Amino acid sequence: MRATVGRAATVAGAVVLTGGLGNDAVTLPGTLAAVAAAGVGLAVNPKVLRAPASVRWTAISIYAAPHAGCAALLVGERLAPDGPVSFLVQAAAVALWTGATWLLRPGLTAREFTDEALAQALAEAEKAEEAPVEPAAPSYDSPQARWWGERFAIEGGVAPGTVLLQHQQVSEQCLALVIGAQKRGQPVPEISKPGLSAELDLPEDLIDIGPVPGRGAGVRLLVLGQRPVAEPEAEGPGDSDAEVWAQIAATAMPGVELIEANTYEVHKELT
């Protein structure tokens, strides 16, 4: 149906242009008819009007090109001087317009151009959806958090899915870490004490993993290294360790009790 209408419009345009060769009265109505035909044609071809923004005006220009050419030729016929040479030039222009419009079929070309653009846009959208989204690089609040994240919390590491929330250098040979789950509302995944021991080259008995007093399962307390030991006092050596530990726990890890004391040299990377 569209092909038949297009062919008929081409024939009608050729007739109008031929009539304009010797009759100036055809110029104005013929020009208006060409403009109206372009508007009606675009209105009944919403595919062209709804083409992707990157090619929309190109498709509209292709569709309206024969109509604009017909109007331009009608005006040229009106303004061209009289004479046999001028008449032959005008007739050749009419023949060229008719042949080009008949062969190239701009209306069909515009629709096919739009279809190709739509297919390409859909293909690119599907490709973008299928392409894996690279996770954003994690940000760390401190060098210690980076140390934990890049060494232990990586996939396949000792403590994947965890983050270092706080750290406290309890003493020169003791480090306390508060570890949290990466996903809020989730418990801290199980952290392998043997894995930490192997990774840090630290005896397992110098690694404590337990709850943080007063907090839920979303955080865990990790103590590495030698616990501090107080110097014995004359009036009561039995309680000195507990007193010193209570002072440390007040700032580093409230509620944690001193269990035992050992001597061990911590690697520099922990300090």
Side-chain angles (χ1 to χ4, degrees), residues 40 63 83-84 93 113 127 166 192 242-243 268:
V40 172
Y63 190 93
F113 181 74
K127 185 177 180 180
Q166 296 178 358
S192 171
E243 292 175 357
K268 293 182 179 180

Side-chain angles (χ1 to χ4, degrees), residues 40 63 68 74 97 108 121 130-132 140 142 145 155 160 173 177 181 196 201-202 206 209 251:
V40 172
Y63 190 93
L74 286 170
W97 178 92
L108 177 61
E130 295 175 356
Y140 302 99
S142 66
E155 184 177 356
Q173 297 178 337
L177 309 174
L196 279 174
D201 192 20
L202 188 67
L206 295 182
I209 304 174
T251 58

Side-chain angles (χ1 to χ4, degrees), residues 46-265:
K47 182 184 293 185
V48 176
L49 296 177
R50 296 174 184 174
S54 59
V55 299
R56 183 177 304 156
W57 286 108
T58 303
I60 292 175
S61 299
I62 294 174
Y63 190 93
H67 306 82
C70 181
L73 287 176
L74 286 170
V75 174
E77 291 174 350
R78 178 68 177 270
L79 300 177
D82 296 333
V85 176
S86 177
F87 181 84
L88 290 175
V89 172
Q90 295 174 52
V94 171
L96 179 61
W97 178 92
T98 304
T101 304
W102 186 271
L103 294 175
L104 297 178
R105 304 178 66 181
L108 177 61
T109 301
R111 290 192 296 272
E112 292 177 346
F113 181 74
T114 300
D115 290 338
E116 292 177 1
L118 286 173
Q120 183 176 359
L122 291 175
E124 291 178 352
E126 292 178 357
K127 185 177 180 180
E129 291 179 358
E130 295 175 356
V133 179
E134 295 184 1
S139 58
Y140 302 99
D141 297 333
S142 66
Q144 291 80 4
R146 177 179 295 276
W147 167 76
W148 179 266
E150 294 181 350
R151 183 166 179 179
F152 302 97
I154 58 175
E155 184 177 356
V158 177
T162 63
V163 293
L164 177 62
L165 300 178
Q166 296 178 358
H167 67 281
Q168 175 71 35
Q169 190 70 47
V170 179
S171 68
E172 184 178 352
Q173 297 178 337
C174 182
L175 179 66
L177 309 174
V178 177
I179 308 301
Q182 287 182 350
K183 294 183 178 180
R184 184 177 180 83
Q186 297 291 326
V188 175
E190 183 177 355
I191 300 175
S192 171
K193 183 183 291 188
L196 279 174
S197 175
E199 181 71 26
L200 296 172
D201 192 20
L202 188 67
E204 289 187 50
D205 57 357
L206 295 182
I207 300 175
D208 282 340
I209 304 174
V212 175
R215 300 291 302 276
V219 292
R220 282 289 181 267
L221 178 64
L222 173 60
V223 181
L224 305 174
Q226 176 188 352
R227 280 62 173 173
V229 180
E231 294 293 335
E233 297 181 1
E235 63 274 12
D239 296 333
S240 60
D241 289 351
E243 292 175 357
V244 172
W245 184 255
Q247 295 176 1
I248 297 172
T251 58
M253 49 200 80
V256 178
E257 297 180 358
L258 177 64
I259 298 175
E260 61 179 349
N262 294 291
T263 302
Y264 184 80
E265 182 178 355

